[in-house]
Amino acid sequence: MRRIAVIGCGGSGKTRLARRLGALLDVPVIHLDAVYYDSAWNALPQEKFAALQEELVAAPAWVIDGNYASTLPIRLKAADTVVFLDLPWWTCLWGIAQRQWRHDAGQHDQGVYNRITWGFVRYVLGYRRRMRPRVERLLAEHARGADVVVLRGRRAVRRFLTQVARATRAHA
């Protein structure tokens, strides 16, 4: 595991998982929200965002967290491991609420943004019905060379991290 794409619904814990994997594996962590948005929530043009990702995935090791389905194939083709956090909407909404309490609105550490709108809440509520099928198609189409790990709950995430930690210690 040297090139890891972490994907999933907002509030699923992508950023926390990415940070933990980066620390365990000693690889750089990239948060796509920090790449895509500036401090005033202005988005990069799509072409520039895609070009930046092409540069990022050319590195020998990385953990990249974020969805951005339009550019997901770039990461899926380059990844050796994809972790899909496929958590229920209520777990994701709880994760968003916790993040809001921890960081309040706005930017928190490492350039990750905490911006909650009704549109975002609707996106979370409909993620499994609307986005998951699209993500599954993209995984089948573009992640053929990668190990795909689907985690469906917080307990599964903790077990996965424990397995990675054990494997890392065994290889040290």
Side-chain angles (χ1 to χ4, degrees):
M1 290 179 36
R2 301 299 294 161
R3 299 161 65 128
I4 306 160
V6 179
I7 59 177
C9 184
S12 62
K14 294 181 301 294
T15 299
R16 289 183 82 151
L17 176 61
R19 286 183 190 142
R20 186 74 179 118
L21 287 171
L24 286 169
L25 302 169
D26 194 29
V27 298
V29 177
I30 300 139
H31 307 289
L32 287 183
D33 281 349
V35 174
Y36 188 63
Y37 293 108
D38 66 16
S39 61
W41 275 93
N42 297 307
L44 279 178
Q46 197 63 30
E47 307 78 39
K48 186 170 183 177
F49 185 51
L52 282 171
Q53 285 183 69
E54 292 284 359
E55 290 175 25
L56 292 170
V57 301
W62 42 261
V63 178
I64 299 176
D65 88 75
N67 278 333
Y68 301 96
S70 63
T71 58
L72 186 55
I74 294 168
R75 287 168 274 134
L76 295 179
K77 289 175 186 174
D80 59 42
T81 306
V82 178
V83 181
F84 179 22
L85 297 175
D86 186 21
L87 280 61
W89 64 265
W90 58 86
T91 303
C92 295
L93 284 180
W94 179 245
I96 291 165
Q98 289 178 312
R99 183 172 64 203
Q100 182 72 13
W101 291 321
R102 267 194 318 272
H103 302 290
D104 207 10
Q107 185 175 4
H108 55 94
D109 57 343
Q110 297 181 357
V112 180
Y113 294 97
N114 188 31
R115 183 176 186 207
I116 300 172
T117 64
W118 283 114
F120 182 61
V121 171
R122 282 192 304 275
Y123 167 78
V124 170
L125 292 172
Y127 184 88
R128 280 184 138 183
R129 189 175 65 259
R130 291 188 192 107
M131 274 305 292
R132 179 172 57 180
R134 183 175 179 195
V135 169
E136 288 171 335
R137 280 191 304 277
L138 290 169
L139 286 167
E141 202 173 315
H142 300 286
R144 291 193 181 127
D147 291 326
V148 177
V149 179
V150 180
L151 303 173
R152 292 194 165 85
R154 300 278 188 230
R155 218 175 269 146
V157 172
R158 286 190 296 274
R159 280 192 304 266
F160 174 71
L161 285 169
T162 299
Q163 292 169 345
V164 172
R166 284 184 186 142
T168 303
R169 283 192 299 269
H171 288 99

